[in-house]
């Protein structure tokens, strides 16, 4: 079978993938992002392309429909709303996971044909502060660096970035460079000690939002120690003195770091020419996100450490096409192709090129304001594409209510059931990864092709095609007559050529004669081009701008909630949640809490904690760890109402935004925490998807079906009946074992001679070999043997999965370490762990460190 060359649909590293229609997935050795590597999520792509749960035909009000009916309804309702209430009464909410071609047409329809700029995207939650910071400093939204810079640097500073889990292949490239050249230093700045910190020579456990104070302190230090490059700044940078003066007023105590830590970091940064500062959501998702970005850029500009190999600021983009979206102008405050809504000449040029009846003349609503406008009844029709705002926006329950207030909601998705789909009148089935064609741009400005290698399922259509069809039905046939994504890409490149007289960074001329079908991964403006090498920036006078920023006043609530990502899940889990391998890494929503706080709150390991803010409440499993400071809670963003009863973390987060970028502060907000008084805890493994209604409930896929972690405050006297209801097999044979002394009950449901479900209930968190129990589902093991909690062969429990590729559990690894495997390589030899994608290597290292500690003391 012939291999298709495509690009991973997850993170912004943009790894090349070789695929086969049978689902085989390999890293593309020729792709310059990954040179053959893949992380655990990329390697498991084959497990996520089945059709289970897919949306395969349009639906209207929950009933199956057809394209003509659905699209006529969409076009008609949008047109009617625009006619009656004006263009700003409708909105699109799009996504950095759309392909460039999809994004281009959505933006064109809204800004040029509907005449509003009410198209914003989940990039507002993701990259908006970087965009705003770049524009303030450079005059354009330019990411000047490349991945090679990270390998060539002598110092890599990772600020608010858990690269090991979120950009694993980039992390592996740095790790490999460091191994080859041990002089390469790594500093990690994060309130938590993460898997990324394990690579760092120095981890600075910064106070949440202490980054402005830190980088201001660094700038003041650079000034004091004569490290400002006056020749460079006088020729190329404005605002130097003001920025330094402002930096000198920052109070370094706001960083929460010791004088020694600060001195070490300042000396290292100041004393190293080749420094790359990488930053991500710990910087962007803050009420001072843009100031954080500029505080970092200031230090690079002041020292001239930008535009040269191995140095510069580097914003690691999250989504596969976060960059492409920015290029086509997908945000509410941009036009198209890095042109500006505010500039009348730009507007005229774009309108002429599109031959459009109108063009938006002012910025549209940014994400949080957009959903506020929904709540206020100002939005009459909303179209959500490739994102799940009812989960991913702050105050997610408020957002869900706001969506309900919109009279007409359309969602294009690949899945039939998401928290947002559940709130929509019209669902439009989109082609997913592997089925669709187009381009994406990765963090280093490299445009790669996504190519289809699977047939279109059901009636699903490509996003660009659906949008164009609606545009045609709205009367804009001429302008949306595309036959393929190639036509759209060509138009996008042509718009760039038609506007090339406006000075800006975007330059797509290298693609002018490109063979779209055979397009190889190519950076704009051209491979290896170095932005700012000549000291020329994009402000009117050609100079860069240092921005005077002041550190915010920090409050210190008893508990502050930080949120972010797990290694093996992608956002709201609609795809990664299908893979039992990936689910096994961390199978339920948790809150990481410091041991001192756990003692204070009387939280035993494995208990459930109730975390609450003025916006809402969540119940989360306690993960007691000293990786964060006392008072610091961390919870993952992934769990939804589809998979948990009360585990969606954005039920708690506040819709507080950065005033410049509009990006919400998702990393820190005051909450309260208390132990949830559970009367019972349960663990269920079963074949069919359970529908738990208990207060604490989290379901996940397993290799044999499903599992559920459960807890409730109310005692039940008939557990057999409860279990049958949960699983929905009323006619199964039931075996019950009760141990009065320990208060535990174990239930087996058997149907047709095979085990349908096993349920374990206890007054404390259930201790049972979970993987072994899961392995019994669907077998003909006698129920009483099964209820012993071990599998028939009496194997011991491998424990929580660490290596997702080879399914190696924690307990297996600890045994191997005890048996003498004291290096990552030795562990790999003994168990295979870490020898495929390598995403778990940081965790293997820390397991070895933890397990080896008592021996070191001997
Ligand atoms: N596995 C996985 N990978 C992903 C994704 C995914 O869902 N799963 N999503 C992708 C997307 S869209 C994105 S945007 C990226 C995000 O990638 P990252 O930004 O690396 O990921 P996060 O976990 O959101 O946050 C990074 C870190 O910021 C820290 N932090 C919190 N507050 C502060 C602070 O005030 N200062 C500093 N310096 N640090 C702070 C957090 O403790 C956290 O460890 O990941 C991409 N890659
Ligand atoms: N608390 C907290 N909240 C956060 C964050 C955080 O760190 N903390 N991070 C924020 C960030 S950085 C981001 S990027 C967002 C991400 O949040 P979302 O964008 O809401 O999350 P996803 O699960 O990626 O949603 C993508 C949706 O598109 C669907 N889909 C997949 N492929 C296609 C396709 O080809 N076409 C169409 N039409 N649909 C498709 C998927 O099934 C899914 O429903 O979350 C933000 N929210
Ligand atoms: S690092 Fe992993 S998730 Fe990111 S693009 Fe590469 S394979 Fe995909
Ligand atoms: Mo993101």
């Amino acid at each position: 079978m012939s291999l298709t060359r495509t690009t991973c649909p997850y993170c912004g590293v943009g790894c090349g993938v070789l695929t086969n229609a049978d689902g085989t997935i390999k890293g593309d050795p020729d792709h310059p992002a990954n040179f053959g590597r893949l992380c655990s999520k990329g390697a498991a792509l084959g497990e996520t392309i089945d059709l289970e749960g897919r949306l395969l035909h349009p639906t209207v009000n929950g009933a199956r429909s057809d394209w003509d009916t659905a699209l006529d309804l969409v076009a008609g309702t949008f047109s009617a709303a625009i006619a009656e209430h004006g263009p700003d009464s409708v909105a699109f909410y799009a996504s950095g996971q759309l392909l460039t071609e999809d994004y281009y047409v959505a933006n064109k329809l809204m800004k040029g044909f509907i005449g509003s700029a009410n198209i914003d995207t989940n990039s507002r939650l993701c990259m908006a502060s970087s965009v705003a910071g770049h524009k303030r400093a450079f005059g354009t939204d330019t990411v000047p660096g490349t991945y090679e810079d990270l390998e060539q640097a002598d110092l890599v500073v990772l600020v608010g970035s858990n690269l090991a889990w979120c950009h694993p292949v980039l992390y592996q490239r740095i790790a490999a460079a460091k191994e080859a050249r041990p002089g390469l230093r790594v500093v990690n700045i994060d309130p938590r000690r993460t898997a990324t910190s394990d690579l760092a020579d120095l981890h600075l456990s910064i106070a949440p939002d202490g980054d402005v104070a830190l980088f201001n302190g660094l700038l003041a230090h650079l000034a004091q120690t004569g490290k400002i490059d006056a020749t460079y700044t006088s020729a190329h940078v404005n605002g130097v003195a003001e920025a330094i003066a402002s930096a000198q007023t920052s109070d370094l105590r706001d960083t929460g770091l010791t004088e020694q830590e600060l001195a070490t970091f300042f000396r290292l940064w100041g004393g190293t020419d080749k420094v790359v500062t990488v930053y991500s959501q710990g910087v962007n998702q803050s009420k001072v996100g843009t100031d954080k970005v500029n505080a970092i850029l200031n230090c690079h500009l002041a020292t001239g450490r930008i535009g040269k190999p191995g140095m510069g600021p580097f914003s690691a983009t999250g989504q596969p096409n976060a960059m492409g979206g920015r290029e086509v102008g997908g945000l509410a405050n941009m036009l198209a192709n890095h042109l500006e809504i505010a500039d009348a000449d730009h507007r005229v040029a774009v309108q002429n090129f599109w031959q459009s009846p109108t063009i938006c003349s002012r910025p549209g609503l940014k994400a949080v304001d957009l959903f506020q406008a929904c709540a206020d009844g100002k939005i009459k029709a909303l179209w959500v594409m490739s994102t799940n705002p009812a989960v991913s926006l702050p105050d997610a329950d408020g957002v869900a209510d706001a969506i309900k207030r919109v009279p007409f909601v359309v969602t294009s998705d690949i899945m039939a059931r998401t928290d947002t789909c559940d709130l929509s009148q019209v669902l439009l089935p989109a082609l997913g990864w592997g089925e669709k064609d187009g381009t994406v741009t990765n963090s280093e400005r490299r445009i790669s092709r996504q190519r289809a290698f699977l047939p279109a399922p059901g009636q699903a259509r490509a996003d660009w095609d659906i949008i164009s069809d609606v545009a045609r039905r709205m009367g804009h046939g001429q302008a949306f007559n595309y036959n393929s994504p190639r036509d759209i890409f060509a138009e996008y490149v042509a718009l760039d050529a038609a506007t090339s007289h406006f000075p800006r960074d975007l330059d797509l001329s290298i693609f002018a004669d490109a063979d779209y079908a055979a397009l190889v991964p190519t950076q704009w403006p051209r491979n290896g081009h170095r932005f700012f090498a000549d000291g020329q920036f994009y402000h009117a006078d050609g100079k860069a701008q240092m921005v005077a920023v002041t550190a915010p006043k920090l409050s210190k609530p008893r508990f502050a909630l930080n949120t972010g990502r797990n290694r093996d899940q992608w956002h709201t889990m609609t795809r990664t949640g299908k893979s039992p391998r990936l689910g096994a890494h961390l199978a339920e929503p948790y809150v990481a809490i410091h041991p001192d706080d756990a003692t204070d709150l009387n939280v035993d390991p494995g208990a459930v904690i109730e975390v609450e803010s003025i916006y809402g409440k969540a119940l989360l499993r306690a993960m007691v760890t000293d990786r964060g400071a006392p008072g610091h809670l961390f919870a993952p963003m992934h769990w939804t109402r589809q998979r948990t009863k009360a585990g969606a973390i954005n039920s708690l987060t506040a819709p507080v935004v950065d005033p410049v970028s509009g990006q919400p502060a998702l990393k820190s907000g005051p909450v309260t925490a208390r132990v949830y008084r559970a009367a019972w805890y349960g663990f269920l493994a079963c074949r069919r998807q359970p529908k738990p209604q208990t207060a604490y409930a989290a379901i996940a896929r397993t290799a044999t079906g499903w599992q559920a972690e459960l807890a409730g405050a109310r005692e039940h006297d008939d557990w057999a009946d409860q279990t049958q209801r949960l699983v929905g097999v009323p006619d199964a044979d039931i075996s019950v074992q009760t141990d009065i002394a320990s208060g535990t009950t174990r239930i087996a449901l058997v149907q047709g001679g095979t085990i349908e479900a096993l349920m374990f209930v206890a007054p404390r968190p259930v201790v049972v070999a979970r993987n072994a129990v899961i392995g019994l589902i669907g077998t003909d093991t006698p129920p009483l043997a099964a209820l012993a909690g071990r599998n028939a062969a009496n194997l011991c429990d491998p424990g929580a999965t660490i290596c997702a590729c080879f399914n190696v559990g924690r307990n297996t690894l600890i045994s191997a370490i005890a048996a003498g495997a004291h290096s990552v390589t030795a562990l790999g030899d003994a168990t295979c762990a870490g020898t495929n994608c390598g995403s778990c290597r940081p965790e293997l290292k820390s397991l070895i460190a933890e397990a080896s500690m008592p021996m070191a003391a001997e």
Side-chain angles (χ1 to χ4, degrees), residues 761-839:
V761 186
R764 309 185 152 277
V766 173
V767 181
V768 67
R770 283 169 168 68
N771 282 343
V773 171
I774 288 165
L776 295 169
I777 301 303
T779 68
D780 57 4
T781 313
L784 293 185
L787 289 178
R790 290 165 172 266
N791 69 14
N794 242 359
L795 292 176
C796 60
D797 181 22
T801 303
I802 303 280
C803 169
C805 295
F806 292 112
N807 225 332
V808 188
R810 194 167 195 276
N811 298 344
T812 309
L813 289 164
I814 289 174
S815 314
I817 297 168
H822 289 299
S823 69
V824 172
T825 317
L827 258 188
D829 291 343
T831 66
C832 287
T835 57
N836 184 40
C837 79
S839 299

Side-chain angles (χ1 to χ4, degrees), residues 389-405:
V391 184
S392 54
L393 274 163
D395 183 20
D397 298 341
V399 168
D401 286 340
I403 295 174
K404 285 185 210 153
R405 298 235 178 104

Side-chain angles (χ1 to χ4, degrees), residues 10-12 41 125-127 158-163 165-168 189-192 194 206-211 280-283 285-286 292 316-319 562-571 632 634 637-638 667-668:
Y10 298 126
C11 85
K41 292 181 298 301
L125 318 177
C126 185
M127 304 316 306
L158 300 161
V159 196
S161 153
N162 187 4
L163 210 71
W165 280 11
C166 297
H167 300 89
I189 302 171
D190 192 311
R192 299 187 299 146
T194 64
I206 195 165
D209 282 346
D211 309 80
S280 190
Q281 299 315 338
V283 167
Q285 287 173 342
S286 156
K292 288 190 189 185
T317 54
Q319 299 181 90
N562 177 10
T563 64
R565 289 156 171 81
N566 284 351
R567 191 190 76 193
D568 287 352
Q569 292 300 343
W570 179 261
H571 297 159
H632 182 114
F634 175 85
M637 63 167 291
H638 305 294
K667 292 281 186 263
S668 172

Side-chain angles (χ1 to χ4, degrees), residues 75 109 113 383 466-477 480:
L109 174 58
F113 291 79
W383 188 352
I466 302 173
I467 301 161
S468 302
D469 199 341
V470 169
R472 290 194 292 271
R473 287 168 204 255
M474 289 174 79
H476 310 306
F480 290 87

Side-chain angles (χ1 to χ4, degrees), residues 610-790:
E610 210 170 54
V611 188
E612 194 168 0
S613 76
I614 56 168
Y615 297 94
K617 193 161 83 173
L619 294 183
L620 307 162
R621 183 77 70 181
M623 182 191 275
V624 180
T625 161
D626 65 359
R627 285 184 168 260
H632 182 114
L633 302 177
F634 175 85
M637 63 167 291
H638 305 294
W639 274 270
T640 64
R641 301 174 192 85
Q642 308 288 323
R643 284 173 183 266
T644 62
K645 195 72 186 138
I649 204 63
N650 283 326
S651 294
L652 312 186
T653 52
V656 170
V657 302
D658 175 286
V660 186
S661 67
Q663 178 155 356
L666 291 161
K667 292 281 186 263
S668 172
V671 292
T672 57
R674 74 189 78 83
V675 69
Y676 170 70
R677 303 225 169 274
W680 60 273
Y681 294 84
F683 173 73
L684 169 76
C686 50
R687 233 164 32 163
R688 274 172 273 187
Q689 180 171 348
K691 306 249 173 336
Q693 294 302 324
T694 50
Y696 177 80
I699 60 170
R701 279 316 299 255
T702 65
T704 56
W706 291 83
Q707 69 161 64
E709 294 284 355
L710 306 161
R714 202 162 48 86
E715 280 287 0
H716 293 285
D717 39 22
D718 189 350
W719 279 112
D721 178 57
Q722 286 298 322
T723 308
Q724 278 194 322
R725 279 204 227 168
L726 258 170
V727 182
V729 277
D731 52 344
D733 296 331
I734 303 173
S735 304
V736 183
Q737 270 186 356
T738 311
D739 177 18
I740 308 228
S742 63
T744 57
T745 307
R746 300 177 162 204
I747 291 141
L749 300 187
V750 176
Q751 212 175 24
T754 60
I755 297 186
E756 189 71 25
L758 293 169
M759 169 89 158
F760 299 78
V761 186
R764 309 185 152 277
V766 173
V767 181
V768 67
R770 283 169 168 68
N771 282 343
V773 171
I774 288 165
L776 295 169
I777 301 303
T779 68
D780 57 4
T781 313
L784 293 185
L787 289 178
R790 290 165 172 266

